[in-house]
């Protein structure tokens, strides 16, 4: 039997431990290398990691192949331009939870819009900005570059072939050719009065009143004092009443002088009411402020039909410094704020701008289209069909509306 000294035993034990530790280190290193290899092979991204602004995407939309299982296929916020970090977790083929991250780029690849005619006429010496002859807008850029391309002389009568151009901050551009007619001014004369055909309430009731519709009016100070019991007796079943208005961008909020009188009298007559506000809001901050002011004005009333956002200053849109994204944010901020106070939000607009500008989302639409039928393809709750309605109890013309009970 070999007897080992204490020193020899220590040496042997130390050597064994060293071997064991080395083996463990090698095993760990191999495991790390294997894990890295698995990680590298588990997730294969697509070649193009760019996405258009506002597009609805989830994590898996950017993964070409995955060896394993995605734990949470989360939606990605694409409402900011530039680089966006995407982080997620997955189980690899050994069912180990692993983290992963990559970066996408949100880009603006949408060209601006131009809504204009092929010909415009201005007098010699015209002082206006020719870029405001057409309504134009970018999807994201609040201040795109608008310019008129071509040679012209506003001091010399003639026809000038020009192009209207709008370019956004991302370099997307749109052009539209048009003819500018510069003419000598002629002595002014009063044009013949034009009047639309009057529409008696009785005709509207006969044609449109069913078990799923209600007939209503919308009024403001321009209708003067209204005999609301007579209006209800005539067949009117609801009313939208103007609460107030702005007269220009950044102007004060003005209460309609007949607002309180109309609300109280209409409700006393037993009519359900909604209200609307004629807005020039051009920022989300102002839209929120307006909505809060409105909520304060109507806090003592039962506004059954909600509050409508009425923005109609399209001839001045180019100077409002708003993109299509911004004006829709203005509208949703206004309506969201009122809904936070417990009032239903309604978007009022004509067919043209519902098709060109607005994105109604989840809000009911009050459609203005003065025609014998609706040709708007989108969803709507109320149809404002005429502004020359004749209703007993109201002096002069009034807007007539049809509410569809099965569309709200």
């Amino acid at each position: 039997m070999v007897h080992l000294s204490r020193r020899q035993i220590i040496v042997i034990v130390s050597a064994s431990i060293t071997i064991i530790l080395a083996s463990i280190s090698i095993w760990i290193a191999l495991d790390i290398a294997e894990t890295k290899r698995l990680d590298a092979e588990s997730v294969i991204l697509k070649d193009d990691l760019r996405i258009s602004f506002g597009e609805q995407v989830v994590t898996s939309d950017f993964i070409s192949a995955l060896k394993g299982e995605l734990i949470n296929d989360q939606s990605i916020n694409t409402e900011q331009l530039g680089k966006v970090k995407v982080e997620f977790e997955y189980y690899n083929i050994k069912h180990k939870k692993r983290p992963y991250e990559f970066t996408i780029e949100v880009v603006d690849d949408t060209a601006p819009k131009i809504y204009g005619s092929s010909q415009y006429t201005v007098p010699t010496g015209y002082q206006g900005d020719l870029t405001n002859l057409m309504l134009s807008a970018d999807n994201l850029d609040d201040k795109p570059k608008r310019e008129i391309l071509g040679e012209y002389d506003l001091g010399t009568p003639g026809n000038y072939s020009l192009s209207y151009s709008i370019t956004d901050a991302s370099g997307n551009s749109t052009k539209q050719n048009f003819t500018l007619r510069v003419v000598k001014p002629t002595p002014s004369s009063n044009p013949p009065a034009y009047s639309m055909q009057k529409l008696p309430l009785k005709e509207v009731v006969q044609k449109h009143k069913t078990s799923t519709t209600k007939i209503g009016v919308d009024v403001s100070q321009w209708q003067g004092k209204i005999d609301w019991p007579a209006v209800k007796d005539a067949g009117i079943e609801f009313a939208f009443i103007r609460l107030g208005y702005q007269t220009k961008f950044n102007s004060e909020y003005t209460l309609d002088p007949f607002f309180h009188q109309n609300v109280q009298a209409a409700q006393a007559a037993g009519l359900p009411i909604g209200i609307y506000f004629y807005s020039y809001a051009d920022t989300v901050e102002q839209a929120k402020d307006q909505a809060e002011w409105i909520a304060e004005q109507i806090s003592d009333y039962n506004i059954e039909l909600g509050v409508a956002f009425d923005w109609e200053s399209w001839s001045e849109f180019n100077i409002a410094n708003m993109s299509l994204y911004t004006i829709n944010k203005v509208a949703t901020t206004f309506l969201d704020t009122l809904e936070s106070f417990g009032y239903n939000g309604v978007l009022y607009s004509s067919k043209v701008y519902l098709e060109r500008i607005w994105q109604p989302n989840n809000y009911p639409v009050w459609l203005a289209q003065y025609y014998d039928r609706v040709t708007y393809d989108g969803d709507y709750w109320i149809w404002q069909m005429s502004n020359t309605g004749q209703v007993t109890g109201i002096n002069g013309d009034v807007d007539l509306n049809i509410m569809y009970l099965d569309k709200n």
Side-chain angles (χ1 to χ4, degrees):
M1 177 179 295
V2 178
H3 295 279
L4 299 176
S5 67
R6 179 187 179 96
R7 180 182 180 84
Q8 289 174 320
I9 293 173
I10 291 175
V11 170
I12 294 171
V13 171
S14 297
S16 300
I17 291 174
T18 300
I19 293 171
I20 291 170
L21 290 175
S23 299
I24 292 173
S25 298
I26 293 171
W27 180 83
I28 292 174
L30 290 174
D31 185 67
I32 291 174
E34 175 68 6
T35 298
K36 287 183 177 180
R37 184 186 68 78
L38 285 175
D39 287 348
E41 296 177 353
S42 291
V43 181
I44 301 176
L45 299 176
K46 292 183 177 179
D47 294 333
D48 188 359
L49 298 181
R50 296 182 306 163
I51 196 71
S52 298
F53 181 93
E55 190 168 343
Q56 295 184 352
V57 291
V58 294
T59 302
S60 61
D61 290 326
F62 299 95
I63 298 175
S64 176
L66 176 64
K67 294 180 180 179
E69 179 185 353
L70 193 62
I71 295 175
N72 183 18
D73 196 11
Q74 60 194 6
S75 61
I76 300 172
N77 180 14
T78 60
E79 292 199 353
Q80 67 177 69
L81 292 175
K83 305 291 185 180
V84 177
K85 182 186 290 186
V86 180
E87 299 176 309
F88 67 95
E89 292 182 318
Y90 70 97
Y91 291 116
N92 65 18
I93 57 175
K94 292 188 175 181
H95 204 68
K96 289 185 177 181
K97 183 186 290 187
R98 307 299 300 160
Y100 198 93
E101 69 177 49
F102 62 95
T103 300
I104 66 171
E105 183 178 9
V106 180
V107 299
D108 174 14
D109 53 7
T110 301
K113 302 288 187 181
I114 299 175
Y115 301 108
S117 300
S118 59
Q119 180 174 289
Y120 290 88
T121 301
V122 298
T124 53
Y126 181 71
Q127 298 294 313
D129 186 342
L130 294 181
T131 64
N132 291 333
L133 293 176
M134 301 184 193
L135 189 156
S136 61
D138 184 56
N139 63 318
L140 295 177
D141 190 350
D142 289 331
K143 297 180 180 180
K145 182 180 180 181
R146 298 177 173 96
E147 55 187 334
I148 303 298
L149 306 178
E151 300 294 329
Y152 61 92
D153 182 357
L154 294 176
T156 304
N159 294 338
Y160 300 91
S161 297
L162 305 173
S163 291
Y164 186 110
S165 173
I166 177 172
T167 305
D168 67 21
S170 297
N172 302 301
S173 183
T174 302
K175 293 181 181 179
Q176 179 170 319
N177 297 329
F178 72 101
T179 299
L180 178 68
R181 297 183 66 244
V182 180
V183 300
K184 292 182 178 180
T186 56
S188 60
S189 60
N190 294 325
Y194 174 77
S195 61
M196 294 181 65
Q197 184 177 356
K198 307 301 181 183
L199 183 60
L201 174 61
K202 182 178 180 180
E203 292 184 14
V204 176
V205 171
Q206 289 175 342
K207 185 174 182 180
H208 297 284
K209 177 59 185 170
T210 70
S211 60
T212 59
T213 64
K214 287 186 177 182
I215 311 299
V217 293
D218 62 270
V219 301
S220 67
Q221 70 185 90
W222 306 116
Q223 277 69 48
K225 186 175 182 179
I226 296 173
D227 183 346
W228 284 103
V231 169
K232 184 181 182 185
D233 289 343
I236 291 299
E237 299 170 285
F238 70 92
F240 269 80
I241 295 169
R242 187 175 73 168
L243 179 141
Y245 56 92
Q246 287 180 285
T247 57
K248 58 184 178 181
F249 294 113
N250 297 314
S251 63
E252 295 182 354
Y253 315 149
T254 302
L255 195 69
D256 187 299
F258 282 79
F259 170 68
H260 289 295
Q261 177 180 328
N262 278 332
V263 170
Q264 292 167 9
Q267 290 187 325
L271 291 174
I273 65 165
I275 68 164
Y276 69 95
F277 182 81
Y278 189 94
S279 175
Y280 271 85
D282 57 3
T283 65
V284 293
E285 292 79 14
Q286 188 173 94
K288 184 175 185 294
D289 185 71
Q290 283 181 11
E292 291 173 346
W293 178 81
I294 289 168
E296 184 179 348
Q297 307 306 312
I298 62 178
S299 60
D300 293 334
Y301 297 118
N302 179 22
I303 310 299
E304 298 177 52
L305 304 180
V307 182
F309 180 69
D310 180 9
W311 204 103
E312 302 182 44
S313 304
W314 302 112
S315 63
E316 302 172 89
F317 180 80
N318 290 8
I319 65 173
N321 294 326
M322 285 195 288
S323 64
L324 299 178
Y325 178 82
T326 297
I327 192 170
N328 276 280
K329 277 293 185 183
V330 165
T332 54
T333 298
F334 180 100
L335 298 171
D336 285 349
T337 302
L338 281 160
E339 291 216 335
S340 73
F341 282 95
Y343 302 104
N344 295 326
V346 182
L347 177 64
Y348 170 88
S349 185
S350 67
K351 172 182 182 290
V352 169
Y353 297 105
L354 284 168
E355 293 173 338
R356 293 178 175 179
I357 305 292
W358 298 116
Q359 300 163 10
N361 295 320
N362 296 324
Y363 290 105
V365 167
W366 180 5
L367 166 69
Q369 187 179 17
Y370 303 152
Y371 198 43
D372 62 352
R373 65 187 184 280
V374 170
T375 60
Y376 174 60
D377 290 332
D379 296 329
Y380 59 95
W381 175 38
I382 299 173
W383 171 29
Q384 186 185 74
M385 60 175 304
S386 173
N387 63 350
T388 58
Q390 305 297 297
V391 177
T392 301
I394 299 177
N395 294 321
D397 295 342
V398 67
D399 296 339
L400 290 177
N401 300 270
I402 300 172
M403 179 190 295
Y404 296 88
L405 304 179
D406 56 349
K407 290 186 177 184
N408 188 15

